[in-house]
Amino acid sequence: MKTYPMFIGGRAVDAGATFAVVNPALGEPFARVQDAQVQHVDAAVAAARAAFPAWSATPDAERQALLHALGAALEAHTPELMELVTRETGKPLAGLDNVGAGMELGGAIAWTHVTADLALAPEVLQDDATARVEVHRKPLGVVASITPWNWPLMIAIWHVIPALRTGNTVVLKPSEYTPVATSRFVELANAILPPGVLNLVTGAGAIGAALAGHADVDKIVFTGSTRTGKRIMEGAAATLKRLTLELGGNDAGIVLPGADVAALAPRLFGAAFHNNGQTCACLKRLYVHDSQYDAMCAALARLAIDVRVGDGMDPQTQLGPVQNRAQRDIVQALADDARACGGQVLAGGRARPGPGYFFEPTIVAGLSNGARLVDEEQFGPILPVIRYADVDDAVRLANDNPNGLGGSVWGDPALAVAVGRRLECGTVWINEHGAVQPDAPFGGIKQSGIGVEFGRHGLAEFTSIQTVKIMKA
Ligand code: NDP
């Protein structure tokens, strides 16, 4: 079994202790990573701080070229990294609608190159006989990146590349469930970047909090649960660290009356079940008009029964296991609660016996807001389908949630846009759900987060503004 090192100041570091990483399809360890102590966090932050002056002063074109070289390294190691992603997350190599490890690598590569080519040119606000006023963007310093287990490599890229592009240095702490592909990426990156520019600590327990609370960290970018996001925000207060928090979602989809059920059902199923529902912007509550409710429920249940669930290393597999046992327990508890409060389980509803953390793809009818499965983020392969009588009611029910990441409306585009604009969320999709792209900002409102990622708006979050006023008279 291979053991992966951490990287601090450009050097591979052993912590003196390691922990096992489990393949969720088998319930067995397949790799080991370093079990960091707080002193490794201190060393990594110190290395990032030491590297900051030279990296932030590196000419823009040079930084861009190095980031493109990282993209090329990802491309050159795609099969190896795909396999590591599949073994640690359980997601299939290809997967339902091709949303699998192949997409994770493709996304990581695309985001790296597109972000490398973004720029934040200075703005000129005034230039007249009296004065010239310019707005410049400066890097913040040391960025701490804390990444989750659902898209571990792609989200690491989402955090790291814009941070480096704008001249910051980084300490990256992956989820203890899925640190392997990220460790390998950081190893490849350290053969390209100057020492200390990108550091990695792996560990569990107090490591995330030690990093997020570190006095010499200037910004935290975190993707994960709302609960942990709130704790990070508390810890950041002492030194007023900048924050980007991409937290939970409970995205609603509204199917407008008159929609084509047969055509829409597979697309809605894919939006809800890709990566086993373990994506922040999966479709998590589906509101369907009374006139088509029964037909849509039946079509979705058929798809849930037919979808191929198995080990992600098998190219035929469309859905893998839930990534970890604790998350599968959450999904099981929500299914049990749904049954107990009158929900009709039309497909699935149970964990699969045998090795691994499998859960049957599940469709639940007959619930509405107020049931746990509707109100709480399930983050797993179970979808509540909710009946509505009129569109105003559907909008009210969709907005009746503390989350506000994404939402979608399905039907005639002009009408759907008008309905979508009323949804309280950071992104609204029309006849689509969950697709993100590297040049369009993405982030949550309400308790789904703070700030945005991607594109120029996302890049700006890794900078501070410096206004320069030059008097002429
Ligand atoms: P969390 O989202 O709670 O995050 C765990 C990570 O945060 C670990 O790396 C941990 O490090 C770190 N951490 C914990 N406490 C702190 C702190 N005070 N300061 C800084 N870092 C800290 O992960 P879970 O696995 O518990 O996920 C639970 C739920 O999160 C899921 O059910 C799902 O709803 C949601 N989720 C959302 C995702 C998204 O994409 N938005 C992705 C994954 C999960 P350490 O172990 O060292 O403390």
Side-chain angles (χ1 to χ4, degrees):
M1 193 180 302
K2 190 165 174 187
T3 301
Y4 291 79
M6 302 189 288
F7 276 82
I8 298 176
R11 277 205 288 274
V13 171
D14 285 350
T18 62
F19 64 91
V21 182
V22 170
N23 176 342
L26 303 174
E28 288 170 3
F30 78 100
R32 299 191 74 82
V33 297
Q34 306 302 314
D35 195 4
Q37 309 301 308
V38 170
Q39 79 248 23
H40 298 111
V41 172
D42 293 338
V45 174
R49 177 60 60 196
F52 176 67
W55 180 248
S56 57
T58 299
D60 219 36
E62 223 173 285
R63 278 206 302 258
Q64 275 182 303
L66 288 169
L67 296 186
H68 281 303
L70 293 188
L74 287 168
E75 283 172 62
H77 293 83
T78 290
E80 176 195 356
L81 290 166
M82 273 175 67
E83 185 175 329
L84 294 179
V85 165
T86 290
R87 289 198 191 284
E88 66 184 338
T89 63
K91 78 179 53 164
L93 292 168
L96 181 66
D97 295 344
N98 279 320
V99 183
M103 176 183 266
E104 179 142 9
L105 260 295
I109 293 163
W111 254 267
T112 300
H113 289 304
V114 171
T115 308
D117 283 335
L118 292 172
L120 293 172
E123 282 175 71
V124 179
L125 299 184
Q126 178 187 338
D127 193 13
D128 55 26
T130 316
R132 179 177 167 93
V133 179
E134 301 168 346
V135 177
H136 292 258
R137 295 274 174 179
K138 299 180 75 173
L140 296 165
V142 175
V143 170
S145 152
I146 301 176
T147 55
W149 43 258
N150 55 343
W151 292 91
L153 183 60
M154 192 161 69
I155 291 176
I157 292 294
W158 290 355
H159 290 187
V160 166
I161 302 298
L164 298 182
R165 174 73 192 86
T166 41
N168 303 280
T169 54
V170 175
V171 179
L172 171 56
K173 192 274 183 207
S175 165
E176 57 270 33
Y177 290 121
T178 55
V180 182
T182 306
S183 296
R184 180 69 178 118
F185 161 68
V186 172
E187 184 178 9
L188 295 170
N190 269 273
I192 293 167
L193 298 170
V197 167
L198 176 58
N199 307 276
L200 175 83
V201 286
T202 50
I207 294 303
L211 179 59
H214 200 290
D216 212 20
V217 165
D218 298 287
K219 173 177 173 106
I220 305 162
V221 50
F222 171 74
T223 302
S225 69
T226 301
R227 181 177 42 85
T228 300
K230 288 176 181 176
R231 291 221 305 274
I232 287 175
M233 201 168 173
E234 283 169 24
T239 54
L240 281 184
K241 295 183 199 334
R242 274 47 182 165
L243 294 172
T244 301
L245 301 176
E246 208 273 85
L247 308 176
N250 194 354
D251 287 12
I254 299 174
V255 180
L256 296 178
D260 180 346
V261 170
L264 283 193
R267 289 159 61 193
L268 291 163
F269 186 79
F273 284 87
H274 78 252
N275 202 32
N276 245 343
Q278 302 168 119
T279 300
C280 50
C282 266
L283 172 58
K284 292 179 177 145
R285 300 175 279 151
L286 182 63
Y287 293 88
V288 180
H289 188 256
D290 191 38
S291 58
Q292 290 165 307
Y293 183 79
D294 293 336
M296 183 63 83
C297 285
L300 292 170
R302 188 73 256 157
L303 290 159
I305 289 163
D306 289 346
V307 70
R308 291 187 298 276
V309 180
D311 188 329
M313 293 302 290
D314 177 345
Q316 298 305 312
T317 294
Q318 292 177 295
L319 297 180
V322 176
Q323 198 285 324
N324 58 78
R325 188 188 295 274
Q327 190 62 38
R328 187 179 68 173
D329 290 348
I330 292 173
V331 174
Q332 182 71 70
L334 291 174
D336 294 346
D337 185 75
R339 265 195 205 92
C341 59
Q344 296 124 39
V345 178
L346 304 180
R350 285 188 176 77
R352 208 168 77 176
Y357 312 135
F358 289 93
F359 196 88
E360 297 169 348
T362 301
I363 301 290
V364 181
L367 298 177
S368 192
N369 291 40
R372 278 187 61 200
L373 179 59
V374 179
D375 290 356
E376 297 176 21
E377 180 183 38
Q378 65 276 57
F379 220 73
I382 177 167
L383 178 71
V385 187
I386 302 137
R387 190 190 296 270
Y388 74 83
D390 68 70
V391 172
D392 286 346
D393 213 30
V395 170
R396 184 185 59 75
L397 291 168
N399 288 337
D400 173 30
N401 195 275
N403 293 291
L405 190 58
S408 60
V409 186
W410 303 71
D412 169 67
L415 185 58
V417 169
V419 175
R421 297 279 290 122
R422 295 166 62 194
L423 295 181
E424 295 167 358
C425 53
T427 301
V428 65
W429 290 277
I430 305 302
N431 293 321
E432 152 68 69
H433 195 115
V436 293
Q437 57 191 66
D439 55 354
F442 173 72
I445 64 167
K446 304 204 285 190
Q447 294 190 31
S448 284
I450 292 181
V452 293
E453 298 184 272
F454 316 154
R456 293 184 63 256
H457 296 84
L459 211 56
E461 300 233 349
F462 290 91
T463 65
S464 58
I465 282 178
Q466 186 172 56
T467 303
V468 178
K469 182 166 187 177
I470 307 150
M471 296 310 295
K472 293 188 184 171

